[in-house]
Amino acid sequence: MSKLVSVIVPCYNQAQYLDECLQSVIRQTYATWECIIVNDGSSDNTSEIINKWIEKDSRFKFVSKQNGGVCQARNLGASITKGFYLLPLDADDYISENYISELIKNIEINNYKIVYGRAFFFGERNEEFQLENVIQVKDLLQYNRIHCSGLFKRDDFFLIGGYDEKMKFGFEDWEFWINMLKDGGQAIKIENCFLYYRIKENSRSTEIDKNQIKTQQMQEYILKKHILSYGYNSVLEMYLKNMKLMNFLEKPHQYFSVKQLFHAILTKIILKLRK
């Protein structure tokens, strides 16, 4: 018997794209799915679009809430799912017709923790999203290497507490995947199914990219939360090369070992975060 897949679609003022997203769900060659659409306090005609799809197919369901961000919306959607597997899908993206069937086949045969398809940007950018084929937690420590639409077990979602709602300024997928893989397991890219990832001129992700303060806050939060997953060398590389936080230390040359320097940086970060 086929296992139920719960597709979770958070939507905040994305009504103009929602039809294309939900059309890609209803066209799936894998028929055992439900789709939970979360209206995250939209002020456009999102509710009208949702109602149209619910009338068309009873597998579509919806819940409405006050706007609280993508983490809250995905968590609320997950709380009312009935599926064995969960698949997040953003309201302005869409998936190939074989997306769920290929992910299901590979996750069940190989017992992977997470499976995801290839991804292509469209809109303001048109190119393939370069992703690695096999990911373990050590591969995620410097930056995210998995897009948001990976398939995983519902039980694993609730085991780690879902998406961290403190990730208000982006990078929630990165933190979620670290959390999912930190105790072992692999994420695998499946070559013959596709996510189409919309790039808009003005979007949440582009605004995040422009705000270096918020970006740094989220990176520091991830490091603090998952410090046990980071080795000394990984922390040094991340902070000294990418985040350029040597100015945290007044006399960096006084630290004679990686371990001493690591603890000095970590102490400064934690004190900063407590303010």
Side-chain angles (χ1 to χ4, degrees), residues 149-160:
S149 293
L151 182 81
F152 46 86
K153 292 179 182 177
R154 184 178 187 272
D155 285 350
D156 287 340
F157 177 91
F158 288 106
L159 185 64
I160 66 171

Side-chain angles (χ1 to χ4, degrees), residues 222-234:
I222 289 171
L223 174 62
K224 180 185 177 185
K225 181 175 178 180
H226 297 288
I227 193 66
L228 294 179
S229 295
Y230 285 82
Y232 299 134
N233 290 328
S234 295

Side-chain angles (χ1 to χ4, degrees), residues 118-130:
R118 292 167 64 189
F120 289 87
F121 297 122
F122 71 101
E124 292 296 313
R125 285 171 59 190
N126 292 278
E127 59 184 311
E128 183 166 1
F129 190 175
Q130 297 301 318

Side-chain angles (χ1 to χ4, degrees), residues 25-227:
V25 175
I26 204 171
R27 286 178 175 172
Q28 289 301 298
T29 56
Y30 188 89
T32 311
W33 55 263
E34 64 174 358
C35 182
I36 312 298
I37 310 158
V38 183
N39 185 354
D40 188 26
S42 299
S43 57
D44 60 9
N45 63 325
T46 291
S47 293
E48 179 183 335
I49 301 297
I50 292 172
N51 288 332
K52 179 182 70 175
W53 284 94
I54 289 173
E55 291 175 4
K56 183 179 293 189
D57 194 311
S58 62
R59 291 175 294 179
F60 290 107
K61 304 173 177 66
F62 88 102
V63 61
S64 294
K65 61 182 289 296
Q66 291 185 342
N67 179 248
V70 67
C71 292
Q72 279 190 13
R74 287 178 182 164
N75 287 343
L76 177 60
S79 72
I80 63 173
T81 58
K82 298 178 180 178
F84 187 85
Y85 294 107
L86 303 184
L87 176 67
L89 177 62
D90 285 349
D92 55 348
D93 298 338
Y94 65 94
I95 51 179
S96 61
E97 294 180 5
N98 66 336
Y99 197 78
I100 295 178
S101 62
E102 289 299 319
L103 297 190
I104 283 282
K105 179 172 65 177
N106 281 276
I107 201 170
E108 296 204 326
I109 290 174
N110 300 290
N111 197 32
Y112 297 130
K113 201 76 169 283
I114 306 159
V115 291
Y116 54 99
R118 292 167 64 189
F120 289 87
F121 297 122
F122 71 101
E124 292 296 313
R125 285 171 59 190
N126 292 278
E127 59 184 311
E128 183 166 1
F129 190 175
Q130 297 301 318
L131 301 166
E132 297 186 25
N133 294 325
V134 181
I135 299 293
Q136 297 176 317
V137 69
K138 64 182 178 62
D139 304 308
L140 292 170
L141 296 182
Q142 290 191 36
Y143 54 88
N144 191 18
R145 301 167 189 257
I146 307 172
H147 58 65
C148 62
S149 293
L151 182 81
F152 46 86
K153 292 179 182 177
R154 184 178 187 272
D155 285 350
D156 287 340
F157 177 91
F158 288 106
L159 185 64
I160 66 171
Y163 290 90
D164 188 335
E165 296 181 9
K166 294 180 180 177
M167 303 292 296
K168 295 183 179 296
F169 307 129
F171 301 102
E172 68 281 341
D173 297 314
W174 181 19
E175 193 282 324
F176 180 77
W177 298 132
I178 291 176
N179 214 11
M180 184 74 74
L181 294 178
K182 68 181 181 182
D183 293 323
Q186 292 181 326
I188 304 294
K189 182 178 73 174
I190 309 305
E191 290 294 327
N192 60 338
C193 61
F194 313 100
L195 167 73
Y196 297 92
Y197 188 100
R198 190 185 303 270
I199 301 295
K200 303 188 290 293
E201 183 177 359
N202 295 305
S203 67
R204 176 173 172 269
S205 59
T206 55
E207 289 302 313
I208 290 167
D209 289 341
K210 295 175 185 177
N211 194 319
Q212 294 301 311
I213 294 176
K214 290 181 179 178
T215 293
Q216 184 170 310
Q217 287 176 351
M218 292 296 92
Q219 289 173 323
E220 290 175 356
Y221 179 79
I222 289 171
L223 174 62
K224 180 185 177 185
K225 181 175 178 180
H226 297 288
I227 193 66

